[in-house]
Amino acid sequence: MTDKSRIDELTGTPTVGHEWDGIEELDTPMPRWWLLTLYATIVWGIIYVILYPAWPMINSATEGVLGWTSRGELAKEMSAREVELEPIRQSLVAIDIDKLQGSPELMQQAIEGGRSAFKVHCVQCHGSGAAGSKGYPNLNDDDWLWGGDLDAIEYTLIHGIRNPDHDETRFSQMPAFGRDGILQPREIDDLVSYVRVIANQEKNSASATRGAALFEANCTICHGPQGEGDRAQGAPNLRDSISLYGLDRESLKYTITNSRNGVMPRWGHRLDSATIRMLAAYVHSLGGGESLPAMEDVREDTVEKIENEQVEGDGRF
């Protein structure tokens, strides 16, 4: 190997001075267009560093003389979008919620807006597909504790469930039959058997027969004589094979022994009225949404409930 530069006779170009086994490398100059491009990119880089954020610092970065930021650009785009959506939001707030389904275009816009809001505020508990999990309700089915019409869903969203700091929150309280000594462990086992029978989880048995008497004495006041539930109290229907915490023996035994007290945040003080209405429309559209009850049905249910209370309380309220 030699290290001696010379002029190549054929090309007239100097070599780099290295030779290996008779092979030499030419020191051919870069094309002028390539050099000009390189110099242009250097100049462009210097100008960019001056105009835009570029050099990272400890807690921030150089701001650039234009003051441009990606966050600022996003804020402008979001602001422009909010201005575009404002007429829709105003229409949603202005319309009576029981008339929203009568305006298909507005209802569809509300559903799409609610779909986006759901991904931000609700998927943490209910899941991206709204299917829920143990302790978090599936919003795709038609099983509702307090009702699945638009008005009922909106009320739940605004006031939440079991929020201790809010008087208008949805609230129901199941006794802790085992923890508070109301029932003995064997009685709870019998009660579990009966609940599983009416939920079509197992066949009738002597244990379930004993549990039926315990159910009548302790549970019908909330869940109804047939276990059909009571929406006025938020008492679940025990006959539909749908359970928030599970219908296996261990889950039911824990529920009856210790009670359950799940909490849903109230969104009335966190989200604006239009966003809440969008969320109500989206949840209603998932498959289990119900129509608003007719006023005649509401009056009949109210009268029947008052009459039952009078009979059970010997006429005293």
Side-chain angles (χ1 to χ4, degrees), residues 97 100-101 107 148-155 280-281 284 290 292:
I97 194 166
L100 182 56
Q101 288 181 287
M107 180 67 176
D149 58 81
L150 280 168
D151 192 28
I153 295 172
E154 184 180 52
Y155 187 95
H284 187 273
E290 302 173 331
L292 285 166

Side-chain angles (χ1 to χ4, degrees), residues 44-197:
W44 178 85
I46 294 173
I47 294 174
Y48 185 93
V49 167
I50 295 173
L51 297 179
Y52 294 97
W55 294 102
M57 310 293 283
I58 296 177
N59 296 318
S60 60
T62 55
E63 296 182 358
V65 297
L66 295 181
W68 181 94
T69 64
S70 57
R71 290 179 181 270
E73 193 71 14
L74 176 61
K76 289 180 182 179
E77 294 178 1
M78 293 181 66
S79 178
R81 181 60 176 165
E82 286 297 319
V83 171
E84 182 181 344
L85 293 176
E86 187 58 26
I88 298 174
R89 300 173 70 86
Q90 290 181 358
S91 298
L92 279 172
V93 173
I95 194 172
D96 290 338
I97 194 166
D98 58 343
K99 298 179 180 178
L100 182 56
Q101 288 181 287
S103 178
E105 183 177 354
L106 187 59
M107 180 67 176
Q108 187 58 40
Q109 291 170 332
I111 291 172
E112 293 306 317
R115 191 190 312 276
S116 299
F118 189 90
K119 293 177 181 178
V120 176
H121 303 289
C122 310
V123 297
Q124 295 85 350
C125 294
H126 294 285
S128 58
S133 60
K134 188 171 183 176
Y136 302 99
N138 180 0
L139 303 179
N140 295 295
D141 60 26
D142 58 357
D143 193 56
W144 301 93
L145 288 181
W146 279 280
D149 58 81
L150 280 168
D151 192 28
I153 295 172
E154 184 180 52
Y155 187 95
T156 301
L157 285 166
I158 293 173
H159 302 291
I161 299 173
R162 300 186 187 92
N163 280 239
D165 62 336
H166 188 57
D167 292 338
E168 297 181 73
T169 189
R170 300 280 199 193
F171 189 85
S172 62
Q173 178 64 62
M174 174 178 169
F177 287 98
R179 187 184 64 208
D180 295 341
I182 302 173
L183 296 177
Q184 298 303 310
R186 183 172 179 179
E187 293 176 313
I188 292 176
D189 286 336
D190 291 341
L191 196 53
V192 167
S193 297
Y194 177 72
V195 172
R196 282 177 54 80
V197 167

